[in-house]
Amino acid sequence: MFRIRRDSKYIVIIVVIALSVYLGLRKSNLKNIFIQQRVSVDTSVAQKIFESSSNIRKLKMTYNVEELVDINSFLAEILEYEDTSAKYSDSKGSYHLLVFEFHNTNFNEIMMKLRQVNGLDSENIQSASTTLFSANIEENLKNNQLAKKRVQELMNKSTSDEKIARLSSQLEKIQTKIDSLKNQNEIRKHNSEYDLVMLTAVKQVSDGGLKKSLRVFVVTTFVVLIALIIGLIIFYYITVLLIKLMAAMGIKTARASASGYGYSYRRRPYGRQVKKIYKDEDGKTIKEE
């Protein structure tokens, strides 16, 4: 059995409680929840890509979620669709920003899944009509193809090298216009068949997240406190057992005497005895010891 001072007991108690609270705060991340502010997301790059794209139908989806794990796995699933591709992606611990295209044949299915994700905050759909623009491209392409055919016929009939050279230069210009119009037609066709989505998912602190963190904090602190108490009890009994075992083996601790050096100032029976004689002023003996 051993003893410790009262001050030392208080120190042990304070250390045990402080360690339990510290591990509870660290496990629950409660401190970050109280100081966390609304997440700021830089959407300038994604916004530029979204606005410069000429897709006929464009959508903006914004989510405020407690955890990004679910929506990240969902987006990975969406990108596995055929004819679906990401044009821009930016993912951090507090948000996920994605701009992607998908074929409009999957519009109903993908939109249904996007709307079923928890935390949908806003949805915006922009549609543009390109009927007139498409008709102009088709008409210009047809006219230039006819012009190309006429120039080729003139070149075949001409025998003048100078005229052939002039017609050849004119033919190259017409072909350049035809290629440009075909490219515009392909882009128009692509933009009419593919829809563009700009999706922003931001992780926010909610009451549910706060309650969850508080629950984790309380449980962790309590469990650590009980574990430390049990550990101290086990340590105490192991120490007592070792002390008793050492005593049984004849191992004793050294103790200093009251003087600190082991000397005693009590009168010993051995040694020379001194006789004391007390006399008065005339020299007569009064008392002997």
Side-chain angles (χ1 to χ4, degrees), residues 9-35:
K9 293 179 182 178
Y10 290 151
I11 292 175
V12 172
I13 293 172
I14 292 173
V15 169
V16 169
I17 295 176
L19 184 59
S20 302
V21 173
Y22 169 75
L23 292 176
L25 288 173
R26 185 173 181 180
K27 180 70 175 178
S28 64
N29 201 30
L30 191 61
K31 183 180 71 172
N32 291 337
I33 285 182
F34 281 116
I35 65 175

Side-chain angles (χ1 to χ4, degrees), residues 133-151:
F133 178 71
S134 176
N136 289 336
I137 291 177
E138 294 291 343
E139 185 67 23
N140 288 333
L141 181 60
K142 183 178 180 181
N143 292 335
N144 279 275
Q145 287 175 339
L146 290 175
K148 176 184 176 181
K149 185 177 180 181
R150 286 197 298 269
V151 170

Side-chain angles (χ1 to χ4, degrees), residues 147-191:
K148 176 184 176 181
K149 185 177 180 181
R150 286 197 298 269
V151 170
Q152 287 176 334
E153 290 176 352
L154 290 174
M155 288 180 64
N156 293 333
K157 295 178 181 179
S158 177
T159 56
S160 171
D161 292 339
E162 182 179 352
K163 187 176 181 180
I164 291 175
R166 186 175 64 255
L167 291 173
S168 178
S169 176
Q170 186 178 354
L171 183 63
E172 288 180 0
K173 293 179 180 179
I174 294 173
Q175 185 61 49
T176 300
K177 290 182 180 180
I178 291 174
D179 293 339
S180 176
L181 290 169
K182 284 184 176 179
N183 185 49
Q184 291 181 39
N185 196 37
E186 289 295 325
I187 293 174
R188 180 205 58 80
K189 183 180 178 181
H190 174 88
N191 290 335

Side-chain angles (χ1 to χ4, degrees), residues 157-262:
K157 295 178 181 179
S158 177
T159 56
S160 171
D161 292 339
E162 182 179 352
K163 187 176 181 180
I164 291 175
R166 186 175 64 255
L167 291 173
S168 178
S169 176
Q170 186 178 354
L171 183 63
E172 288 180 0
K173 293 179 180 179
I174 294 173
Q175 185 61 49
T176 300
K177 290 182 180 180
I178 291 174
D179 293 339
S180 176
L181 290 169
K182 284 184 176 179
N183 185 49
Q184 291 181 39
N185 196 37
E186 289 295 325
I187 293 174
R188 180 205 58 80
K189 183 180 178 181
H190 174 88
N191 290 335
S192 63
E193 293 179 354
Y194 286 82
D195 298 332
L196 185 70
V197 178
M198 176 178 169
L199 187 148
T200 306
V202 181
K203 181 179 178 181
Q204 298 293 345
V205 178
S206 64
D207 293 338
L210 179 59
K211 291 179 181 178
K212 180 180 178 181
S213 296
L214 284 173
R215 184 168 59 252
V216 172
F217 168 72
V218 173
V219 172
T220 304
T221 302
F222 179 77
V223 170
V224 172
L225 184 62
I226 296 300
L228 289 175
I229 292 174
I230 294 174
L232 287 174
I233 293 174
I234 294 174
F235 173 77
Y236 170 78
Y237 280 107
I238 290 176
T239 304
V240 171
L241 180 62
L242 289 175
I243 291 174
K244 290 183 177 181
L245 183 61
M246 293 172 65
M249 295 173 61
I251 303 174
K252 297 182 179 181
T253 57
R255 294 183 179 179
S257 63
S259 64
Y261 296 95

Side-chain angles (χ1 to χ4, degrees), residues 71-185:
I71 197 166
N72 286 344
S73 60
F74 166 75
L75 292 176
E77 179 184 342
I78 291 294
L79 292 176
E80 290 179 358
Y81 273 72
E82 186 178 0
D83 296 329
T84 301
S85 60
K87 302 189 73 173
Y88 177 79
S89 178
D90 182 19
S91 181
K92 297 290 189 300
S94 56
Y95 69 87
H96 190 123
L97 187 59
L98 179 67
V99 179
F100 67 97
E101 278 186 334
F102 64 90
H103 201 277
N104 55 20
T105 54
N106 299 321
F107 178 80
N108 293 330
E109 183 179 356
I110 290 179
M111 288 305 300
M112 182 181 66
K113 291 186 175 183
L114 286 171
R115 288 164 179 163
Q116 289 176 347
V117 177
N118 293 330
L120 178 61
D121 185 55
S122 65
E123 173 186 335
N124 180 268
I125 300 178
Q126 304 174 18
S127 298
S129 177
T130 59
T131 304
L132 181 60
F133 178 71
S134 176
N136 289 336
I137 291 177
E138 294 291 343
E139 185 67 23
N140 288 333
L141 181 60
K142 183 178 180 181
N143 292 335
N144 279 275
Q145 287 175 339
L146 290 175
K148 176 184 176 181
K149 185 177 180 181
R150 286 197 298 269
V151 170
Q152 287 176 334
E153 290 176 352
L154 290 174
M155 288 180 64
N156 293 333
K157 295 178 181 179
S158 177
T159 56
S160 171
D161 292 339
E162 182 179 352
K163 187 176 181 180
I164 291 175
R166 186 175 64 255
L167 291 173
S168 178
S169 176
Q170 186 178 354
L171 183 63
E172 288 180 0
K173 293 179 180 179
I174 294 173
Q175 185 61 49
T176 300
K177 290 182 180 180
I178 291 174
D179 293 339
S180 176
L181 290 169
K182 284 184 176 179
N183 185 49
Q184 291 181 39
N185 196 37

